[in-house]
mmCIF file of all heavy atoms in Angstrom:
data_model
loop_
_atom_site.group_PDB
_atom_site.id
_atom_site.type_symbol
_atom_site.label_atom_id
_atom_site.label_comp_id
_atom_site.label_asym_id
_atom_site.label_seq_id
_atom_site.Cartn_x
_atom_site.Cartn_y
_atom_site.Cartn_z
ATOM 1 N N ASN A 472 0.823 -1.203 0.000
ATOM 2 C CA ASN A 472 0.000 0.000 0.000
ATOM 3 C C ASN A 472 0.860 1.258 0.000
ATOM 4 O O ASN A 472 0.594 2.198 -0.743
ATOM 5 C CB ASN A 472 -0.927 -0.008 1.211
ATOM 6 C CG ASN A 472 -1.850 1.169 1.230
ATOM 7 O OD1 ASN A 472 -2.371 1.566 0.204
ATOM 8 N ND2 ASN A 472 -2.041 1.745 2.392
ATOM 9 N N GLY A 473 1.885 1.283 0.798
ATOM 10 C CA GLY A 473 2.731 2.466 0.886
ATOM 11 C C GLY A 473 3.482 2.765 -0.398
ATOM 12 O O GLY A 473 3.611 3.917 -0.803
ATOM 13 N N LEU A 474 3.971 1.719 -1.032
ATOM 14 C CA LEU A 474 4.727 1.938 -2.271
ATOM 15 C C LEU A 474 3.858 2.468 -3.398
ATOM 16 O O LEU A 474 4.254 3.393 -4.102
ATOM 17 C CB LEU A 474 5.396 0.637 -2.714
ATOM 18 C CG LEU A 474 6.684 0.279 -2.004
ATOM 19 C CD1 LEU A 474 7.198 -1.055 -2.496
ATOM 20 C CD2 LEU A 474 7.714 1.348 -2.201
ATOM 21 N N THR A 475 2.695 1.897 -3.550
ATOM 22 C CA THR A 475 1.878 2.336 -4.673
ATOM 23 C C THR A 475 1.262 3.707 -4.435
ATOM 24 O O THR A 475 0.863 4.362 -5.394
ATOM 25 C CB THR A 475 0.765 1.317 -4.985
ATOM 26 O OG1 THR A 475 0.078 1.000 -3.785
ATOM 27 C CG2 THR A 475 1.332 0.075 -5.613
ATOM 28 N N ASN A 476 1.210 4.159 -3.188
ATOM 29 C CA ASN A 476 0.684 5.500 -2.923
ATOM 30 C C ASN A 476 1.541 6.589 -3.562
ATOM 31 O O ASN A 476 1.067 7.686 -3.795
ATOM 32 C CB ASN A 476 0.560 5.756 -1.423
ATOM 33 C CG ASN A 476 -0.667 5.108 -0.840
ATOM 34 O OD1 ASN A 476 -1.587 4.746 -1.550
ATOM 35 N ND2 ASN A 476 -0.668 4.951 0.468
ATOM 36 N N MET A 477 2.806 6.291 -3.836
ATOM 37 C CA MET A 477 3.654 7.321 -4.431
ATOM 38 C C MET A 477 3.631 7.320 -5.955
ATOM 39 O O MET A 477 4.247 8.172 -6.572
ATOM 40 C CB MET A 477 5.097 7.186 -3.931
ATOM 41 C CG MET A 477 5.857 5.999 -4.404
ATOM 42 S SD MET A 477 7.481 6.012 -3.642
ATOM 43 C CE MET A 477 8.359 4.931 -4.722
ATOM 44 N N ILE A 478 2.874 6.394 -6.562
ATOM 45 C CA ILE A 478 2.873 6.339 -8.024
ATOM 46 C C ILE A 478 1.494 6.102 -8.639
ATOM 47 O O ILE A 478 1.291 6.374 -9.817
ATOM 48 C CB ILE A 478 3.869 5.258 -8.515
ATOM 49 C CG1 ILE A 478 4.250 5.502 -9.960
ATOM 50 C CG2 ILE A 478 3.333 3.862 -8.288
ATOM 51 C CD1 ILE A 478 5.410 4.695 -10.443
ATOM 52 N N THR A 479 0.533 5.637 -7.873
ATOM 53 C CA THR A 479 -0.758 5.255 -8.452
ATOM 54 C C THR A 479 -1.529 6.458 -9.005
ATOM 55 O O THR A 479 -1.666 7.477 -8.335
ATOM 56 C CB THR A 479 -1.619 4.479 -7.437
ATOM 57 O OG1 THR A 479 -2.816 4.065 -8.075
ATOM 58 C CG2 THR A 479 -1.961 5.316 -6.231
ATOM 59 N N PRO A 480 -2.020 6.348 -10.223
ATOM 60 C CA PRO A 480 -2.741 7.472 -10.822
ATOM 61 C C PRO A 480 -4.168 7.623 -10.296
ATOM 62 O O PRO A 480 -4.849 8.578 -10.631
ATOM 63 C CB PRO A 480 -2.752 7.135 -12.314
ATOM 64 C CG PRO A 480 -2.666 5.657 -12.363
ATOM 65 C CD PRO A 480 -1.829 5.253 -11.166
ATOM 66 N N THR A 481 -4.641 6.695 -9.480
ATOM 67 C CA THR A 481 -5.993 6.788 -8.934
ATOM 68 C C THR A 481 -6.015 7.403 -7.535
ATOM 69 O O THR A 481 -7.073 7.485 -6.927
ATOM 70 C CB THR A 481 -6.649 5.391 -8.893
ATOM 71 O OG1 THR A 481 -5.822 4.509 -8.133
ATOM 72 C CG2 THR A 481 -6.852 4.851 -10.287
ATOM 73 N N SER A 482 -4.875 7.814 -7.030
ATOM 74 C CA SER A 482 -4.799 8.424 -5.706
ATOM 75 C C SER A 482 -5.118 9.908 -5.803
ATOM 76 O O SER A 482 -4.375 10.686 -6.409
ATOM 77 C CB SER A 482 -3.397 8.231 -5.116
ATOM 78 O OG SER A 482 -3.257 8.987 -3.927
ATOM 79 N N GLY A 483 -6.212 10.304 -5.186
ATOM 80 C CA GLY A 483 -6.607 11.705 -5.216
ATOM 81 C C GLY A 483 -5.594 12.609 -4.544
ATOM 82 O O GLY A 483 -5.335 13.729 -4.995
ATOM 83 N N THR A 484 -5.005 12.130 -3.464
ATOM 84 C CA THR A 484 -4.016 12.931 -2.741
ATOM 85 C C THR A 484 -2.789 13.182 -3.604
ATOM 86 O O THR A 484 -2.306 14.315 -3.692
ATOM 87 C CB THR A 484 -3.614 12.224 -1.434
ATOM 88 O OG1 THR A 484 -4.792 11.922 -0.690
ATOM 89 C CG2 THR A 484 -2.695 13.080 -0.613
ATOM 90 N N LEU A 485 -2.276 12.125 -4.224
ATOM 91 C CA LEU A 485 -1.102 12.287 -5.079
ATOM 92 C C LEU A 485 -1.390 13.250 -6.229
ATOM 93 O O LEU A 485 -0.585 14.138 -6.519
ATOM 94 C CB LEU A 485 -0.635 10.935 -5.630
ATOM 95 C CG LEU A 485 0.503 10.995 -6.655
ATOM 96 C CD1 LEU A 485 1.782 11.517 -6.012
ATOM 97 C CD2 LEU A 485 0.725 9.632 -7.275
ATOM 98 N N LEU A 486 -2.546 13.094 -6.850
ATOM 99 C CA LEU A 486 -2.886 13.969 -7.972
ATOM 100 C C LEU A 486 -3.069 15.418 -7.521
ATOM 101 O O LEU A 486 -2.698 16.347 -8.245
ATOM 102 C CB LEU A 486 -4.137 13.457 -8.676
ATOM 103 C CG LEU A 486 -3.979 12.106 -9.381
ATOM 104 C CD1 LEU A 486 -5.286 11.683 -10.034
ATOM 105 C CD2 LEU A 486 -2.859 12.138 -10.391
ATOM 106 N N ALA A 487 -3.596 15.616 -6.317
ATOM 107 C CA ALA A 487 -3.728 16.984 -5.792
ATOM 108 C C ALA A 487 -2.358 17.600 -5.545
ATOM 109 O O ALA A 487 -2.126 18.769 -5.858
ATOM 110 C CB ALA A 487 -4.547 16.972 -4.508
ATOM 111 N N TYR A 488 -1.443 16.802 -4.981
ATOM 112 C CA TYR A 488 -0.084 17.309 -4.750
ATOM 113 C C TYR A 488 0.608 17.656 -6.076
ATOM 114 O O TYR A 488 1.269 18.689 -6.187
ATOM 115 C CB TYR A 488 0.763 16.292 -3.991
ATOM 116 C CG TYR A 488 0.352 16.069 -2.567
ATOM 117 C CD1 TYR A 488 0.633 14.868 -1.936
ATOM 118 C CD2 TYR A 488 -0.311 17.043 -1.827
ATOM 119 C CE1 TYR A 488 0.272 14.653 -0.614
ATOM 120 C CE2 TYR A 488 -0.675 16.835 -0.519
ATOM 121 C CZ TYR A 488 -0.388 15.638 0.084
ATOM 122 O OH TYR A 488 -0.750 15.429 1.385
ATOM 123 N N LEU A 489 0.452 16.778 -7.052
ATOM 124 C CA LEU A 489 1.083 17.025 -8.352
ATOM 125 C C LEU A 489 0.460 18.235 -9.043
ATOM 126 O O LEU A 489 1.171 19.019 -9.684
ATOM 127 C CB LEU A 489 0.979 15.783 -9.234
ATOM 128 C CG LEU A 489 1.791 14.568 -8.783
ATOM 129 C CD1 LEU A 489 1.524 13.380 -9.694
ATOM 130 C CD2 LEU A 489 3.258 14.880 -8.712
ATOM 131 N N ALA A 490 -0.847 18.404 -8.912
ATOM 132 C CA ALA A 490 -1.497 19.562 -9.523
ATOM 133 C C ALA A 490 -1.043 20.854 -8.855
ATOM 134 O O ALA A 490 -0.818 21.866 -9.530
ATOM 135 C CB ALA A 490 -3.016 19.427 -9.426
ATOM 136 N N THR A 491 -0.880 20.813 -7.543
ATOM 137 C CA THR A 491 -0.419 21.996 -6.820
ATOM 138 C C THR A 491 0.994 22.380 -7.258
ATOM 139 O O THR A 491 1.320 23.558 -7.402
ATOM 140 C CB THR A 491 -0.448 21.742 -5.303
ATOM 141 O OG1 THR A 491 -1.786 21.407 -4.925
ATOM 142 C CG2 THR A 491 0.006 22.961 -4.529
ATOM 143 N N ALA A 492 1.823 21.377 -7.481
ATOM 144 C CA ALA A 492 3.204 21.623 -7.903
ATOM 145 C C ALA A 492 3.324 21.817 -9.419
ATOM 146 O O ALA A 492 4.423 22.048 -9.914
ATOM 147 C CB ALA A 492 4.097 20.466 -7.460
ATOM 148 N N LYS A 493 2.204 21.669 -10.119
ATOM 149 C CA LYS A 493 2.173 21.804 -11.592
ATOM 150 C C LYS A 493 3.116 20.807 -12.275
ATOM 151 O O LYS A 493 3.891 21.152 -13.155
ATOM 152 C CB LYS A 493 2.499 23.230 -12.012
ATOM 153 C CG LYS A 493 1.473 24.227 -11.547
ATOM 154 C CD LYS A 493 1.779 25.619 -12.040
ATOM 155 C CE LYS A 493 0.658 26.537 -11.672
ATOM 156 N NZ LYS A 493 0.873 27.375 -10.536
ATOM 157 N N ILE A 494 3.013 19.566 -11.807
ATOM 158 C CA ILE A 494 3.814 18.476 -12.369
ATOM 159 C C ILE A 494 2.866 17.476 -13.021
ATOM 160 O O ILE A 494 1.889 17.036 -12.407
ATOM 161 C CB ILE A 494 4.652 17.773 -11.275
ATOM 162 C CG1 ILE A 494 5.636 18.759 -10.658
ATOM 163 C CG2 ILE A 494 5.378 16.560 -11.838
ATOM 164 C CD1 ILE A 494 6.378 18.216 -9.462
ATOM 165 N N ASN A 495 3.134 17.109 -14.233
ATOM 166 C CA ASN A 495 2.370 16.111 -14.963
ATOM 167 C C ASN A 495 2.604 14.742 -14.327
ATOM 168 O O ASN A 495 3.718 14.399 -13.940
ATOM 169 C CB ASN A 495 2.822 16.113 -16.429
ATOM 170 C CG ASN A 495 1.989 15.219 -17.290
ATOM 171 O OD1 ASN A 495 1.201 14.414 -16.819
ATOM 172 N ND2 ASN A 495 2.171 15.371 -18.588
ATOM 173 N N TRP A 496 1.530 13.913 -14.256
ATOM 174 C CA TRP A 496 1.682 12.594 -13.635
ATOM 175 C C TRP A 496 2.683 11.733 -14.401
ATOM 176 O O TRP A 496 3.457 10.990 -13.799
ATOM 177 C CB TRP A 496 0.335 11.868 -13.550
ATOM 178 C CG TRP A 496 0.495 10.533 -12.894
ATOM 179 C CD1 TRP A 496 0.517 10.277 -11.559
ATOM 180 C CD2 TRP A 496 0.722 9.278 -13.548
ATOM 181 N NE1 TRP A 496 0.738 8.934 -11.337
ATOM 182 C CE2 TRP A 496 0.864 8.299 -12.542
ATOM 183 C CE3 TRP A 496 0.819 8.891 -14.884
ATOM 184 C CZ2 TRP A 496 1.084 6.970 -12.831
ATOM 185 C CZ3 TRP A 496 1.050 7.558 -15.155
ATOM 186 C CH2 TRP A 496 1.175 6.607 -14.139
ATOM 187 N N PHE A 497 2.701 11.821 -15.723
ATOM 188 C CA PHE A 497 3.632 11.011 -16.511
ATOM 189 C C PHE A 497 5.080 11.403 -16.218
ATOM 190 O O PHE A 497 5.951 10.539 -16.126
ATOM 191 C CB PHE A 497 3.327 11.138 -18.009
ATOM 192 C CG PHE A 497 2.028 10.506 -18.387
ATOM 193 C CD1 PHE A 497 0.920 11.283 -18.678
ATOM 194 C CD2 PHE A 497 1.900 9.126 -18.422
ATOM 195 C CE1 PHE A 497 -0.286 10.704 -19.008
ATOM 196 C CE2 PHE A 497 0.699 8.527 -18.757
ATOM 197 C CZ PHE A 497 -0.400 9.321 -19.041
ATOM 198 N N ASP A 498 5.333 12.695 -16.048
ATOM 199 C CA ASP A 498 6.682 13.133 -15.677
ATOM 200 C C ASP A 498 7.049 12.621 -14.288
ATOM 201 O O ASP A 498 8.176 12.188 -14.049
ATOM 202 C CB ASP A 498 6.786 14.664 -15.710
ATOM 203 C CG ASP A 498 6.619 15.215 -17.109
ATOM 204 O OD1 ASP A 498 6.888 14.476 -18.081
ATOM 205 O OD2 ASP A 498 6.209 16.395 -17.226
ATOM 206 N N TRP A 499 6.088 12.673 -13.377
ATOM 207 C CA TRP A 499 6.325 12.185 -12.014
ATOM 208 C C TRP A 499 6.599 10.682 -12.024
ATOM 209 O O TRP A 499 7.528 10.212 -11.360
ATOM 210 C CB TRP A 499 5.122 12.491 -11.127
ATOM 211 C CG TRP A 499 5.190 11.825 -9.792
ATOM 212 C CD1 TRP A 499 4.460 10.758 -9.368
ATOM 213 C CD2 TRP A 499 6.061 12.167 -8.703
ATOM 214 N NE1 TRP A 499 4.816 10.423 -8.093
ATOM 215 C CE2 TRP A 499 5.792 11.274 -7.660
ATOM 216 C CE3 TRP A 499 7.032 13.141 -8.523
ATOM 217 C CZ2 TRP A 499 6.466 11.327 -6.447
ATOM 218 C CZ3 TRP A 499 7.695 13.185 -7.308
ATOM 219 C CH2 TRP A 499 7.405 12.292 -6.293
ATOM 220 N N ALA A 500 5.799 9.934 -12.772
ATOM 221 C CA ALA A 500 5.976 8.484 -12.814
ATOM 222 C C ALA A 500 7.338 8.115 -13.398
ATOM 223 O O ALA A 500 8.015 7.216 -12.897
ATOM 224 C CB ALA A 500 4.853 7.843 -13.635
ATOM 225 N N LYS A 501 7.740 8.828 -14.436
ATOM 226 C CA LYS A 501 9.053 8.571 -15.039
ATOM 227 C C LYS A 501 10.173 8.880 -14.046
ATOM 228 O O LYS A 501 11.170 8.175 -13.982
ATOM 229 C CB LYS A 501 9.205 9.422 -16.298
ATOM 230 C CG LYS A 501 10.304 8.985 -17.210
ATOM 231 C CD LYS A 501 10.316 9.687 -18.561
ATOM 232 C CE LYS A 501 9.573 10.991 -18.617
ATOM 233 N NZ LYS A 501 9.738 11.702 -19.881
ATOM 234 N N PHE A 502 9.999 9.920 -13.264
ATOM 235 C CA PHE A 502 11.001 10.320 -12.280
ATOM 236 C C PHE A 502 11.077 9.352 -11.104
ATOM 237 O O PHE A 502 12.160 8.984 -10.647
ATOM 238 C CB PHE A 502 10.673 11.737 -11.770
ATOM 239 C CG PHE A 502 11.512 12.181 -10.613
ATOM 240 C CD1 PHE A 502 12.822 12.597 -10.816
ATOM 241 C CD2 PHE A 502 11.000 12.187 -9.332
ATOM 242 C CE1 PHE A 502 13.599 13.014 -9.750
ATOM 243 C CE2 PHE A 502 11.768 12.603 -8.263
ATOM 244 C CZ PHE A 502 13.072 13.010 -8.462
ATOM 245 N N VAL A 503 9.929 8.907 -10.590
ATOM 246 C CA VAL A 503 9.901 8.136 -9.350
ATOM 247 C C VAL A 503 9.977 6.625 -9.579
ATOM 248 O O VAL A 503 10.240 5.873 -8.647
ATOM 249 C CB VAL A 503 8.646 8.523 -8.520
ATOM 250 C CG1 VAL A 503 7.413 7.801 -9.002
ATOM 251 C CG2 VAL A 503 8.867 8.280 -7.050
ATOM 252 N N PHE A 504 9.792 6.153 -10.820
ATOM 253 C CA PHE A 504 9.769 4.708 -11.072
ATOM 254 C C PHE A 504 11.057 3.987 -10.662
ATOM 255 O O PHE A 504 10.976 2.911 -10.060
ATOM 256 C CB PHE A 504 9.423 4.410 -12.533
ATOM 257 C CG PHE A 504 9.178 2.958 -12.785
ATOM 258 C CD1 PHE A 504 8.018 2.353 -12.331
ATOM 259 C CD2 PHE A 504 10.111 2.172 -13.445
ATOM 260 C CE1 PHE A 504 7.786 1.008 -12.528
ATOM 261 C CE2 PHE A 504 9.895 0.826 -13.660
ATOM 262 C CZ PHE A 504 8.728 0.248 -13.195
ATOM 263 N N PRO A 505 12.251 4.520 -10.935
ATOM 264 C CA PRO A 505 13.453 3.813 -10.463
ATOM 265 C C PRO A 505 13.493 3.667 -8.935
ATOM 266 O O PRO A 505 13.866 2.613 -8.419
ATOM 267 C CB PRO A 505 14.614 4.678 -10.959
ATOM 268 C CG PRO A 505 14.057 5.419 -12.119
ATOM 269 C CD PRO A 505 12.618 5.659 -11.797
ATOM 270 N N LEU A 506 13.066 4.690 -8.219
ATOM 271 C CA LEU A 506 13.000 4.610 -6.767
ATOM 272 C C LEU A 506 11.950 3.589 -6.322
ATOM 273 O O LEU A 506 12.162 2.836 -5.370
ATOM 274 C CB LEU A 506 12.683 5.983 -6.181
ATOM 275 C CG LEU A 506 12.671 6.095 -4.667
ATOM 276 C CD1 LEU A 506 14.047 5.775 -4.096
ATOM 277 C CD2 LEU A 506 12.230 7.488 -4.252
ATOM 278 N N PHE A 507 10.836 3.542 -7.043
ATOM 279 C CA PHE A 507 9.783 2.568 -6.767
ATOM 280 C C PHE A 507 10.314 1.142 -6.887
ATOM 281 O O PHE A 507 10.045 0.291 -6.041
ATOM 282 C CB PHE A 507 8.613 2.793 -7.731
ATOM 283 C CG PHE A 507 7.487 1.820 -7.582
ATOM 284 C CD1 PHE A 507 6.524 2.000 -6.615
ATOM 285 C CD2 PHE A 507 7.392 0.722 -8.419
ATOM 286 C CE1 PHE A 507 5.481 1.106 -6.475
ATOM 287 C CE2 PHE A 507 6.363 -0.172 -8.294
ATOM 288 C CZ PHE A 507 5.398 0.018 -7.316
ATOM 289 N N VAL A 508 11.092 0.879 -7.931
ATOM 290 C CA VAL A 508 11.662 -0.461 -8.150
ATOM 291 C C VAL A 508 12.648 -0.810 -7.026
ATOM 292 O O VAL A 508 12.645 -1.936 -6.516
ATOM 293 C CB VAL A 508 12.325 -0.552 -9.536
ATOM 294 C CG1 VAL A 508 13.104 -1.837 -9.701
ATOM 295 C CG2 VAL A 508 11.284 -0.408 -10.630
ATOM 296 N N ILE A 509 13.467 0.152 -6.622
ATOM 297 C CA ILE A 509 14.419 -0.081 -5.528
ATOM 298 C C ILE A 509 13.670 -0.384 -4.239
ATOM 299 O O ILE A 509 13.995 -1.345 -3.520
ATOM 300 C CB ILE A 509 15.361 1.127 -5.357
ATOM 301 C CG1 ILE A 509 16.294 1.243 -6.552
ATOM 302 C CG2 ILE A 509 16.153 1.025 -4.059
ATOM 303 C CD1 ILE A 509 17.067 2.552 -6.613
ATOM 304 N N PHE A 510 12.645 0.415 -3.934
ATOM 305 C CA PHE A 510 11.871 0.188 -2.713
ATOM 306 C C PHE A 510 11.138 -1.147 -2.753
ATOM 307 O O PHE A 510 11.025 -1.833 -1.736
ATOM 308 C CB PHE A 510 10.876 1.323 -2.495
ATOM 309 C CG PHE A 510 11.478 2.588 -1.964
ATOM 310 C CD1 PHE A 510 10.773 3.771 -2.008
ATOM 311 C CD2 PHE A 510 12.754 2.611 -1.414
ATOM 312 C CE1 PHE A 510 11.312 4.949 -1.516
ATOM 313 C CE2 PHE A 510 13.306 3.779 -0.931
ATOM 314 C CZ PHE A 510 12.580 4.943 -0.975
ATOM 315 N N ALA A 511 10.633 -1.544 -3.915
ATOM 316 C CA ALA A 511 9.957 -2.834 -4.035
ATOM 317 C C ALA A 511 10.938 -3.977 -3.785
ATOM 318 O O ALA A 511 10.612 -4.954 -3.106
ATOM 319 C CB ALA A 511 9.311 -2.972 -5.408
ATOM 320 N N GLY A 512 12.136 -3.860 -4.319
ATOM 321 C CA GLY A 512 13.162 -4.876 -4.057
ATOM 322 C C GLY A 512 13.518 -4.952 -2.581
ATOM 323 O O GLY A 512 13.656 -6.048 -2.015
ATOM 324 N N LEU A 513 13.660 -3.805 -1.937
ATOM 325 C CA LEU A 513 13.938 -3.785 -0.499
ATOM 326 C C LEU A 513 12.787 -4.380 0.297
ATOM 327 O O LEU A 513 13.006 -5.086 1.286
ATOM 328 C CB LEU A 513 14.222 -2.355 -0.037
ATOM 329 C CG LEU A 513 15.545 -1.756 -0.464
ATOM 330 C CD1 LEU A 513 15.606 -0.275 -0.090
ATOM 331 C CD2 LEU A 513 16.704 -2.516 0.162
ATOM 332 N N ALA A 514 11.563 -4.109 -0.125
ATOM 333 C CA ALA A 514 10.406 -4.677 0.572
ATOM 334 C C ALA A 514 10.401 -6.199 0.464
ATOM 335 O O ALA A 514 10.113 -6.899 1.449
ATOM 336 C CB ALA A 514 9.116 -4.098 -0.002
#
């Protein structure tokens, strides 16, 4: 649950944060995906 909260496109909170920062979700996903993979491996 914690890992997908930082990348899932259905999370209203994440989308609100990205909209406030004026960051496109696709740009965010491309940026955070390597970290997501590392965290998944650690998990």
Side-chain angles (χ1 to χ4, degrees):
N472 183 40
L474 280 177
T475 50
N476 281 342
M477 69 182 199
I478 200 168
T479 184
T481 57
S482 171
T484 306
L485 174 65
L486 294 179
Y488 291 154
L489 292 176
T491 301
K493 296 183 174 101
I494 298 173
N495 186 348
W496 181 84
F497 292 106
D498 295 335
W499 170 253
K501 197 171 20 173
F502 172 77
V503 82
F504 189 73
L506 184 62
F507 178 82
V508 171
I509 292 168
F510 283 165
L513 288 172

